[in-house]
Amino acid sequence: MKILIVDDASSRYSLFMEKAKELGLGDNDIHFCSCVKDAREKLAKEYYDLLVLDLLVPYECYEIADNSRHTISLLMALQHGSDLKKPGHIIGITSDKDEAIKSASRFETYTWMLIEYSPINLSWMTTLLNYIRYLLETSSTTNVPSKDSVDVVIVCALKSPEFEALMQLPWHWEEFMPISEVIFIRRGSFYSNGQKITVAAAHVTRMGMVSTAITASYLISHFQPKIIAMCGICAGVKGKVNIGDIVFADPAWDYQSGKFIKEDGAAKFSISPHQLGPSQMLRSFADVFSSDNELLINLKNNIDELNNRDVILKIGPMASGSAVLADSEILEAIKSQHRDLVAVEMETYGLFSAASFAIRPQPLYFSMKSVCDFADSDKNDNFQFIAARTSARCLGLFLEKFGNKILGEHNA
């Protein structure tokens, strides 16, 4: 395995090199460059299995890098054809938070992952070594990684704010590690009434039911969890829920499912939604949870932005679709599919589909999302972070309160 590290601060990799040797890599397997020009010369001559690229690297070695344009240019050259040999994988690394915020979305588009370097927190090194270990294992025909198993898998649609909010739960989260070419997970654990429960969490690469179903199916196959859940944000139906309220989906369906027909010479779309409910056992526990005032007060008091606003957990219909809604007339049309509609979002039906059609042992499944807007012309992103934190915290309280009982009944 060949690795090229492009970074003008190579001294910070001394401990990393020692750890890499423990994985079986030697000095000749890892090459260093301190500028983009030298990196181009090496990439023109040799194929590398992994390129580790600092966000801020000068073009010439005697220069000082003050922005990411040279590294972005190198990434573009690798992606869109040149005389350079494209590495098998590219990982970005940066210690400049301001530049990372400006360039992260573009940088991450062309890399496997963007890691934040810290001289006092070695989690960056653990993450990088996890990726190298994964590549070593998957490249070996004799060392195929065995299937893991966890009690709970949690899926989020968005890295920010949903997955980031989930990571704020004090669940002993480990660093990112890959389980496939495109799916990265973080492991964690928590206690429910004295019982340790293991968790794996991931976010999908794109919003929507298709990406969610594919990701959930792979996670179910890989981890064989007893529970798979989704948390995050949704649009609420005004008058039935308020901003910050949590919706436990029952049932969920694709509100765009159906077919086009001709009626009186005109094209017409005939709705034919297929509804899926959560696992009935979890629905029963959610009923108990929704009436537990102490837990809901705890939730309200732990989300500062709610300003002591009352929070409810509403169990009700949640429609999924492939488009972001900001039109009250379209929402009215969706409400005609179920008079008790409470919320609209883009993923839950995909997760329910993946779980309900999974091979045995089939996991229990549910979705718990918090309202961030009302899908009308006043829609904005002001409450997304609040709703993401509310949803993650509510899911955490739910599993901490009932997790051991759910697993006990599921295993019985």
Side-chain angles (χ1 to χ4, degrees):
M1 181 177 179
K2 293 290 185 182
I3 300 173
L4 176 62
I5 298 176
V6 183
D7 196 325
D8 57 352
S10 59
S11 59
R12 62 192 185 190
Y13 292 91
S14 56
L15 180 59
F16 164 81
M17 289 297 292
E18 294 179 20
K19 298 294 184 181
K21 288 179 180 178
E22 294 176 8
L23 296 178
L25 297 174
D27 293 334
N28 293 331
D29 298 320
I30 303 176
H31 300 165
F32 284 88
C33 290
S34 58
C35 63
V36 169
K37 182 180 179 182
D38 286 356
R40 282 180 172 269
E41 291 177 359
K42 285 190 176 293
L43 289 165
K45 298 176 182 177
E46 190 169 355
Y47 169 82
Y48 288 93
D49 300 282
L50 176 64
L51 168 64
V52 179
L53 181 61
D54 186 15
L55 185 62
L56 296 178
V57 179
Y59 183 76
E60 296 271 11
C61 293
Y62 59 82
E63 297 174 339
I64 298 175
D66 57 2
N67 60 60
S68 60
R69 64 189 181 93
H70 295 305
T71 51
I72 295 293
S73 176
L74 175 59
L75 286 172
M76 296 291 284
L78 289 168
Q79 292 292 329
H80 299 294
S82 69
D83 57 345
L84 306 181
K85 300 181 187 298
K86 184 177 178 179
H89 295 83
I90 304 173
I91 292 179
I93 188 167
T94 181
S95 58
D96 190 319
K97 291 185 178 180
D98 293 335
E99 188 66 27
I101 292 171
K102 289 189 293 183
S103 307
S105 59
R106 193 176 182 193
F107 203 76
E108 285 185 327
T109 299
Y110 298 103
T111 61
W112 208 20
M113 173 66 77
L114 180 59
I115 299 172
E116 184 178 325
Y117 170 81
S118 169
I120 59 176
N121 184 342
L122 296 181
S123 62
W124 68 272
M125 185 173 66
T126 303
T127 300
L128 183 55
L129 290 168
N130 281 341
Y131 281 65
I132 293 172
R133 185 179 294 108
Y134 169 80
L135 291 176
L136 288 169
E137 290 175 344
T138 53
S139 65
S140 172
T141 57
T142 59
N143 187 16
V144 179
S146 59
K147 280 189 177 180
D148 301 307
S149 63
V150 295
D151 297 313
V152 180
V153 162
I154 302 173
V155 182
C156 295
L158 298 168
K159 182 179 180 182
S160 178
E162 295 172 325
F163 188 81
E164 291 174 355
L166 180 65
M167 292 300 104
Q168 292 177 17
L169 295 180
W171 281 4
H172 310 288
W173 297 109
E174 299 177 4
E175 298 307 317
F176 271 111
M177 65 178 298
I179 59 169
S180 78
E181 293 292 298
V182 295
I183 300 177
F184 313 114
I185 62 99
R186 293 185 71 173
R187 294 175 179 275
S189 64
F190 64 92
Y191 283 87
S192 173
N193 301 306
Q195 179 180 338
K196 183 177 180 180
I197 296 178
T198 56
V199 188
H203 61 84
V204 298
T205 55
R206 299 174 68 96
M207 292 190 300
M209 288 175 284
V210 174
S211 290
T212 300
I214 292 171
T215 301
S217 294
Y218 189 91
L219 292 169
I220 292 170
S221 174
H222 185 91
F223 289 110
Q224 297 182 355
K226 298 175 180 66
I227 303 170
I228 185 167
M230 187 162 218
C231 63
I233 60 178
C234 64
V237 174
K238 192 174 290 186
K240 293 191 175 180
V241 285
N242 294 314
I243 299 294
D245 286 345
I246 305 100
V247 179
F248 185 96
D250 182 23
W253 71 95
D254 178 0
Y255 66 76
Q256 296 166 312
S257 177
K259 66 178 180 179
F260 283 99
I261 60 173
K262 269 199 171 183
E263 191 173 280
D264 299 328
K268 180 181 177 182
F269 187 71
S270 178
I271 298 292
S272 180
H274 172 239
Q275 297 181 352
L276 288 170
S279 299
Q280 188 57 46
M281 183 198 303
L282 296 176
R283 169 63 158 81
S284 299
F285 279 106
D287 268 329
V288 177
F289 189 64
S290 66
S291 59
D292 192 324
N293 291 328
E294 184 178 343
L295 284 173
L296 295 177
I297 290 172
N298 179 293
L299 175 66
K300 178 179 66 176
N301 291 342
N302 278 277
I303 306 294
D304 295 336
E305 294 86 349
L306 292 177
N307 297 319
N308 292 319
R309 182 189 308 154
D310 287 336
V311 177
I312 65 168
L313 172 64
K314 180 79 171 182
I315 300 173
M318 180 182 287
S320 301
S322 60
V324 176
L325 290 185
D327 189 326
S328 56
E329 290 186 9
I330 297 176
L331 181 59
E332 287 298 318
I334 299 170
K335 285 167 65 177
S336 68
Q337 299 177 19
H338 201 304
R339 65 182 182 181
D340 296 323
L341 181 73
V342 176
V344 179
E345 46 79 88
M346 300 175 65
E347 295 85 19
T348 290
Y349 180 75
L351 182 122
F352 280 16
S353 296
S356 63
F357 291 106
I359 61 173
R360 293 182 181 278
Q362 189 181 70
L364 303 172
Y365 55 92
F366 71 98
S367 176
M368 186 179 282
K369 295 196 172 188
S370 181
V371 177
C372 66
D373 60 63
F374 296 110
D376 53 20
S377 57
D378 295 327
K379 176 183 175 69
N380 57 56
D381 297 340
N382 293 347
F383 296 102
Q384 286 191 358
F385 287 91
I386 298 172
R389 284 195 291 274
T390 306
S391 172
R393 183 61 184 150
C394 187
L395 179 140
L397 290 171
F398 179 72
L399 290 175
E400 289 168 4
K401 175 75 174 178
F402 300 112
N404 69 312
K405 299 175 183 176
I406 293 170
L407 294 179
E409 292 191 22
H410 183 58
N411 293 331

